[in-house]
């Protein structure tokens, strides 16, 4: 699965993250209908990305990526509100388990949205500076989510959002974090390589001419 603009290394790491997310985190924390829908949404983004040199698929892919961005922003707002505004004012019944529920309700969907979006963006990452920059920004956000998700799991020393408890779960959490960092490293390398290339026209002009 690749296009003329794909970053193969980035795509491989993105697919590895997708497999890990849907084997380790997502089915355990979300309903089958939800994670099935997320996988379907990921496939829906891949289809137009594979025809990204055509105007209609390109516009459709960008719309889908924008929708993901809006969902992620809404989840981040909820997480900040729940942890910094709701929790301090909550009643005495607010416990560590409630905090774990907040993390599971936000970090898992955030991680899953990153996992299903990165493969489609990796397919077009080498097309232009704008596409390389887009996947780099998402990869940085993905690292932040992975650090919060797996870091909380490690320090809590119990299964909060992972399907495996104990040392095995912690080791798999480390693997997940390493994959997220690898994705970011490859994305930045692609971005710097794209910036170093001589372009004959801005991205907007080339898109308008297609």
């Amino acid at each position: 699965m690749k296009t003329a603009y794909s970053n193969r290394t980035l795509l491989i790491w993105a697919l590895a993250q997708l497999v890990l997310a849907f084997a380790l985190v997502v089915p355990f924390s979300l309903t089958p209908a939800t994670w099935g829908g997320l996988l379907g949404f990921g496939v829906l983004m891949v289809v137009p990305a594979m025809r990204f040199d055509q105007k209609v698929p390109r516009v459709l892919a960008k719309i889908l990526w924008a929708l993901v961005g809006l969902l992620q922003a809404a989840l981040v707002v909820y997480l900040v509100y729940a942890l910094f505004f709701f929790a301090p004012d909550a009643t005495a019944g607010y416990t560590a388990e409630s905090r774990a529920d907040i993390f599971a309700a936000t970090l898992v969907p955030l991680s899953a949205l990153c996992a299903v979006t990165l493969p489609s963006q990796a397919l077009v990452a080498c097309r232009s500076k704008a596409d390389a920059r887009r996947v780099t920004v998402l990869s940085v956000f993905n690292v932040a989510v992975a650090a919060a998700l797996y870091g909380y799991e490690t320090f809590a020393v119990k299964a909060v959002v992972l399907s495996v408890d104990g040392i095995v779960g912690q080791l798999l959490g480390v693997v997940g974090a390493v994959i997220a960092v690898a994705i970011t490293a490859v994305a930045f390398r692609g971005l710097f390589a794209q910036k170093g290339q001589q372009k004959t026209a801005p991205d907007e002009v080339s898109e308008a001419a297609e």
Side-chain angles (χ1 to χ4, degrees):
M1 179 176 58
K2 64 176 183 176
T3 69
Y5 310 116
S6 68
N7 184 327
R8 181 177 297 182
T9 304
L10 182 63
L11 180 59
I12 291 173
W13 280 111
L15 291 176
Q17 178 183 253
L18 182 64
V19 171
L20 182 67
F22 281 84
L24 180 63
V25 178
V26 177
F28 179 68
S29 302
L30 302 176
T31 64
T34 301
W35 57 258
L38 283 168
L39 276 178
F41 191 61
V43 172
L44 183 62
M45 286 186 283
V46 165
V47 173
M50 296 182 70
R51 298 290 185 270
F52 207 70
D53 55 340
Q54 301 172 17
K55 184 175 182 179
V56 173
R58 182 170 62 249
V59 171
L60 178 59
K62 289 184 177 181
I63 290 174
L64 293 174
W65 292 335
L67 289 175
V68 171
L70 290 174
L71 287 174
Q72 289 173 328
L75 286 169
V76 170
V77 170
Y78 169 76
L79 180 62
V80 171
Y81 166 75
L83 292 181
F84 294 98
F85 294 96
F86 167 74
D89 296 331
T91 63
Y94 188 81
T95 63
E97 286 72 20
S98 300
R99 184 175 287 106
D101 290 340
I102 291 174
F103 271 92
T106 51
L107 292 177
V108 172
L110 280 171
S111 178
L113 286 170
C114 290
V116 300
T117 306
L118 280 165
S120 61
Q121 293 193 359
L123 287 172
V124 303
C126 295
R127 178 178 178 271
S128 69
K129 288 186 291 185
D131 297 306
R133 186 165 52 248
R134 182 189 300 111
V135 71
T136 302
V137 171
L138 179 60
S139 69
V140 171
F141 180 78
N142 180 49
V143 166
V145 173
L149 180 68
Y150 298 119
Y152 183 79
E153 185 76 16
T154 299
F155 291 116
V157 196
K158 62 179 180 178
V160 177
V161 293
L162 303 184
S163 58
V164 182
D165 200 352
I167 186 65
V168 176
Q170 294 173 13
L171 289 175
L172 289 174
V174 171
V175 172
V178 169
I179 291 177
V181 172
I183 289 173
T184 303
V186 175
F188 267 103
R189 186 177 66 181
L191 178 62
F192 291 143
Q194 197 69 30
K195 284 184 176 180
Q197 295 178 358
Q198 185 70 28
K199 295 187 67 67
T200 58
D203 297 330
E204 292 79 7
V205 175
S206 63
E207 289 184 4
E210 291 174 356

